[in-house]
Amino acid sequence: MQALWISLVVIFVAELGDKSQLMALTFATRFKTGPVLAGITAATALVHLVSVGVGRVVGDALPTTAISIVAGLAFLAFAAWTLRGDELTEEEKGKAARTTRNAFIAVAVAFFLSELGDKTMLATITLATQHGWFGTWVGSTVGMVAADALAILVGRFLGSRLPEKWIKYGAAAAFAVFGVLLLAEPLIA
């Protein structure tokens, strides 16, 4: 349960302001919310299953102290990445606008491809090096889908009045706190 809750919170925060949220909002303006969320869920579950597999292999191969230090540095890097921000490229905006195929398939394929190498994938790998794979997988998947669902709902109600700057700062601060805690863990133990 601990892996599930930690992963859910970390990935939810990581997804705030991410380009995947922008994609979710873009698809939701074009398609019904149900197929969009189903496509997001399917793609996320698959990408995060691969992520926890990679994380388990890495976690089994490295000593605990090294994992904690690398994870702490990774989370500090995620904080910086979050502050830099993500935007959809013109090509990504165009693909979302031109899609006329089945909404579920279009969203699932777009999300799967956009998440490969994304910070939420890397964060899931990092979490899986220290926590159980199943809880990390379920928690990271639920956290990402919840953040994207929130973006769709809030975006529909508030439009362009979202306090994106504050969301970005809050997410970056949370990553920085996780990073510092992970770096301090080997020193305290």
Side-chain angles (χ1 to χ4, degrees):
M1 285 305 287
Q2 181 182 11
L4 184 142
W5 288 110
I6 289 171
S7 299
L8 190 149
V9 170
V10 168
I11 299 304
F12 181 87
V13 169
E15 188 64 7
L16 296 176
D18 193 65
K19 72 177 179 178
S20 303
Q21 277 193 317
L22 299 173
M23 285 180 61
L25 187 55
T26 302
F27 277 121
T29 61
R30 186 159 171 79
F31 301 115
K32 292 181 179 179
T33 303
V36 171
L37 285 176
I40 290 169
T41 303
T44 300
L46 183 57
V47 167
H48 289 207
L49 185 60
V50 169
S51 300
V52 296
V54 169
R56 288 309 323 154
V57 169
V58 170
D60 291 343
L62 295 175
T64 307
T65 301
I67 289 171
S68 188
I69 291 169
V70 169
L73 293 173
F75 275 94
L76 291 175
F78 297 150
W81 188 347
T82 300
L83 282 175
R84 182 190 61 121
D86 270 340
E87 292 181 6
L88 290 178
T89 64
E90 288 303 316
E91 181 182 345
E92 290 169 327
K93 286 179 188 176
K95 283 181 184 177
R98 288 190 310 270
T99 300
T100 56
R101 299 176 294 227
N102 177 299
F104 171 81
I105 293 170
V107 172
V109 169
F111 264 80
F112 179 81
L113 294 175
S114 75
E115 284 304 306
L116 295 176
D118 193 51
K119 70 181 169 191
T120 51
M121 181 182 187
L122 298 174
T124 302
I125 290 169
T126 303
L127 289 165
T129 63
Q130 297 184 326
H131 302 285
W133 76 269
F134 186 75
T136 301
W137 175 55
V138 172
S140 64
T141 300
V142 171
M144 185 163 163
V145 172
D148 289 338
L150 178 66
I152 291 168
L153 293 174
V154 171
R156 286 196 172 177
F157 288 115
L158 298 181
S160 63
R161 294 176 277 174
L162 293 173
E164 186 176 328
K165 174 173 71 170
W166 292 106
I167 292 171
K168 185 185 339 182
Y169 292 153
F175 270 127
V177 167
F178 285 120
V180 169
L181 290 174
L182 285 167
L183 286 172
E185 189 175 296
L187 299 174
I188 297 169

